[in-house]
Amino acid sequence: MAEILEPALDKARATAALTPPARQLHRWVLTVFIDTGHAPPRADLERMARDHGVDPAAALSELTTRDVLAVDEQGEIRAAYPFSPTPTRHRVTWDGGTGVHAMCAIDALGISAMLSVPVTVTSTEPDTNHEVTVQVDHNTARWHPTTAVVFAGTTAGACCPSVDRTCGHINFYTTADAAHDWATRHPEVTGVVLDQAQALTCGIAEFGALIRPLDQPAGEDIGR
């Protein structure tokens, strides 16, 4: 049975370690998601990089090696944490925005702090499809149902990107018992149950400062 504690975080550290050219390209990719709800095609990404004096192959290699982006065999984006280019069970919307799909529950919870706007997360519990909604305003949140939690699971080691080993197993559950029951039925997934405060703290720590200006030191949390 999963115990309640916080999982290891890595996206904030990985982003902070990027070279300036890779970080510039990464920030542009995230901005496209925010503005359109979709991933930029590889051709647009490469053109943007060249227009700004960035070697697209080198920058993209750095981004995927550090697992802040994941691409398919054609080089098209399949994950730009916290955003997913394809529908997931986690939909995030905000006033005046197009809305996005998040890669996982923790990613979804960090988007309000990242954008500095209130958001609504609408998700479903695995197996039952019971709805969980969370209204997040940076570091505060209202959960429905009020008993909801997050289970953060993984199926493999660090040899493959997060999209393959963790994202599909970090989900909202209507109760801690529901999360424990799911984990018991899926012994191939190891993980932890996070209460609401823990899950929100993880999301903010991972993504709250992800699109800060390129000249702002790591650790200073601003929005877009």
Side-chain angles (χ1 to χ4, degrees), residues 27-45:
R27 194 173 191 272
W28 178 79
V29 169
L30 296 179
T31 300
V32 172
F33 265 101
I34 294 164
D35 291 342
T36 69
H38 302 288
R42 178 172 182 169
D44 289 355
L45 187 151

Side-chain angles (χ1 to χ4, degrees), residues 50-142:
R50 287 192 296 268
D51 288 348
H52 289 79
V54 175
D55 179 352
L60 190 59
S61 176
E62 183 179 349
L63 292 171
T64 55
T65 297
R66 292 198 178 276
D67 195 23
V68 297
L69 291 185
V71 298
D72 63 19
E73 293 180 353
Q74 289 71 46
E76 300 293 343
I77 293 172
R78 63 191 185 107
Y81 321 99
F83 304 129
S84 172
T86 57
T88 67
R89 64 176 68 245
H90 317 291
R91 179 70 174 165
V92 183
T93 57
W94 59 91
D95 287 347
T98 58
V100 293
H101 284 96
M103 293 300 300
C104 72
I106 288 177
D107 292 36
L109 291 171
I111 289 175
S112 175
M114 177 179 171
L115 303 184
S116 289
V117 297
V119 306
T120 298
V121 179
T122 305
S123 189
T124 55
E125 182 178 80
D127 294 348
T128 68
N129 285 327
H130 292 156
E131 186 172 276
V132 176
T133 61
V134 190
Q135 294 174 302
V136 188
D137 189 353
H138 196 97
N139 61 352
T140 63
R142 290 186 296 170

Side-chain angles (χ1 to χ4, degrees), residues 140-224:
T140 63
R142 290 186 296 170
W143 297 61
H144 181 79
T146 57
T147 53
V149 298
V150 168
F151 178 76
T154 183
T155 57
C159 59
C160 56
S162 301
V163 62
D164 296 321
R165 59 187 166 85
T166 62
C167 290
H169 305 300
I170 303 178
N171 293 304
F172 294 98
Y173 290 83
T174 52
T175 66
D177 285 345
H180 286 302
D181 289 346
W182 187 93
T184 299
R185 296 195 305 274
H186 297 83
E188 73 281 7
V189 179
T190 58
V192 296
V193 175
L194 306 178
D195 65 25
Q196 294 173 7
Q198 289 173 316
L200 182 58
T201 296
C202 286
I204 294 171
E206 286 286 74
F207 303 107
L210 217 59
I211 57 172
R212 64 179 176 265
L214 297 179
D215 59 352
Q216 182 175 1
E220 293 185 20
D221 184 6
I222 71 162
R224 189 176 170 194

